Amino acid sequence: MEKQLKRGTLEMVLLKLLSGREMYGYELVTAFQRRGNGKFEIKDGTLYPVLYRLEKAGYVEPRWVTQERGVPRKYYRVTTLGQEEMNRLVGDWRHFVAAVDALLEEETDERDQ
Amino acid sequence: MEKQLKRGTLEMVLLKLLSGREMYGYELVTAFQRRGNGKFEIKDGTLYPVLYRLEKAGYVEPRWVTQERGVPRKYYRVTTLGQEEMNRLVGDWRHFVAAVDALLEEETDERDQ
DNA sequence: TCTGGTGTCTTGCGACACAAGATAGTTTGT
DNA sequence: ACAAACTATCTTGTGTCGCAAGACACCAGA
């Protein structure tokens, strides 16, 4: 089920994390592993396509950083457009959660009207 | 985005509605239209495959009811297995929402550790 | 007659998380 | 010197699933 729930929240959560500070892909994967305590993980095969979508939409901007040692890292930062999109997504999210919770808390025997 | 969010919640919400009383497909569609106020609608092309999944999994049981007038209706009721599944799904849902909300409410500038 | 509501069902499409694998540099142990 | 294991990015193929679109069938009102 978690797999399905991620659809629709992944971009929002990613924008949120990147709005804190610029991060690179592998860092995001490990950040999710650590914070999620096993739940809310993300695989790199999932992450990179999402970052491309966000970049293509103008929500994030990449920046290559060559290390003295090691493989170059691609840091992403959120654009102002991305900030607006994030706020919109968070609004939608809260709205959706409220609607579902309302359904879940209804009396079980109610009829139409 | 709503489209994506529905994946993972649709079965739970459906089980919830059907646990109140048995309902038939078209009734569910109109119930969602009315309650959702435009949001959280479901199309019949979406609904029927979901009902088959639930039936195949043993979570709901169908019952044909022939009307004096009109097309026969296929009523679905939730099995005890379906009840358990619903409770499990609701638990997962609340858990997931809590995890996402925690992420959304973090300080924006936090670093690792 | 013809539109529109009621009712179930099927086919095909597009979106997307993920598994699996490729590529490449670094580090550590033997 | 060699082999794991870790860091880091990227691609391809697969399966799931909401939905648009349409088929079929019955009924009521204009």
Side-chain angles (χ1 to χ4, degrees):
Chain A
M1 177 182 184
E2 302 235 335
K3 188 173 178 176
Q4 311 301 339
L5 289 176
K6 275 182 200 166
R7 299 197 190 215
T9 55
L10 230 185
E11 301 195 358
M12 173 182 69
V13 167
L14 238 38
L15 286 174
K16 172 65 182 180
L17 278 190
L18 292 175
S19 71
R21 61 185 172 86
E22 62 177 9
M23 297 173 79
Y24 57 98
Y26 194 81
E27 188 183 11
L28 284 163
V29 172
T30 56
F32 275 119
Q33 280 179 344
R34 187 173 38 73
R35 292 199 201 174
N37 289 335
K39 32 226 164 203
F40 219 120
E41 285 185 11
I42 186 176
K43 304 301 157 56
D44 62 322
T46 301
L47 178 66
Y48 290 112
V50 177
L51 288 174
Y52 295 149
R53 287 207 302 272
L54 293 176
E55 180 185 346
K56 195 175 176 184
Y59 299 149
V60 298
E61 273 176 357
R63 180 170 74 94
W64 280 103
V65 175
T66 57
Q67 310 282 105
E68 295 181 6
R69 280 189 286 277
V71 187
R73 293 170 173 173
K74 199 173 179 180
Y75 281 87
Y76 287 89
R77 71 168 196 85
V78 175
T79 63
T80 52
L81 189 64
Q83 277 284 347
E84 294 167 11
E85 174 69 4
M86 187 192 79
N87 291 333
R88 199 181 64 74
L89 290 176
V90 171
D92 286 354
W93 164 249
R94 300 220 189 277
H95 200 275
F96 182 81
V97 171
V100 171
D101 283 349
L103 273 172
L104 292 183
E105 278 146 26
E106 277 178 357
E107 294 308 310
T108 59
D109 192 37
E110 61 155 309
R111 305 203 101 67
D112 283 356
Q113 248 53 328
Chain B
M1 178 182 183
E2 300 236 337
K3 189 174 178 176
Q4 311 301 338
L5 289 176
K6 275 182 200 166
R7 298 200 188 213
T9 55
L10 229 185
E11 302 195 359
M12 173 182 70
V13 168
L14 238 37
L15 286 174
K16 171 67 182 178
L17 278 190
L18 292 175
S19 71
R21 61 184 172 89
E22 63 176 9
M23 299 173 76
Y24 57 97
Y26 193 82
E27 189 182 10
L28 284 164
V29 173
T30 54
F32 275 119
Q33 280 179 344
R34 187 173 37 76
R35 294 200 200 174
N37 288 337
K39 32 225 165 202
F40 219 121
E41 284 185 11
I42 186 176
K43 305 300 157 57
D44 62 322
T46 301
L47 178 67
Y48 290 111
V50 177
L51 288 174
Y52 296 148
R53 287 206 303 271
L54 293 176
E55 181 185 346
K56 196 175 178 186
Y59 298 149
V60 299
E61 274 177 356
R63 180 170 73 93
W64 279 104
V65 174
T66 56
Q67 308 283 103
E68 296 181 5
R69 279 188 287 277
V71 187
R73 294 170 174 173
K74 199 173 180 181
Y75 280 87
Y76 287 90
R77 72 168 195 85
V78 175
T79 64
T80 52
L81 189 64
Q83 279 283 349
E84 293 167 11
E85 174 69 4
M86 187 193 79
N87 291 331
R88 199 182 64 75
L89 290 176
V90 171
D92 286 353
W93 164 249
R94 301 223 189 275
H95 200 276
F96 182 81
V97 171
V100 171
D101 283 349
L103 271 173
L104 292 182
E105 278 147 25
E106 277 177 357
E107 295 307 312
T108 58
D109 192 37
E110 60 155 310
R111 306 201 101 67
D112 284 354
Q113 250 51 328

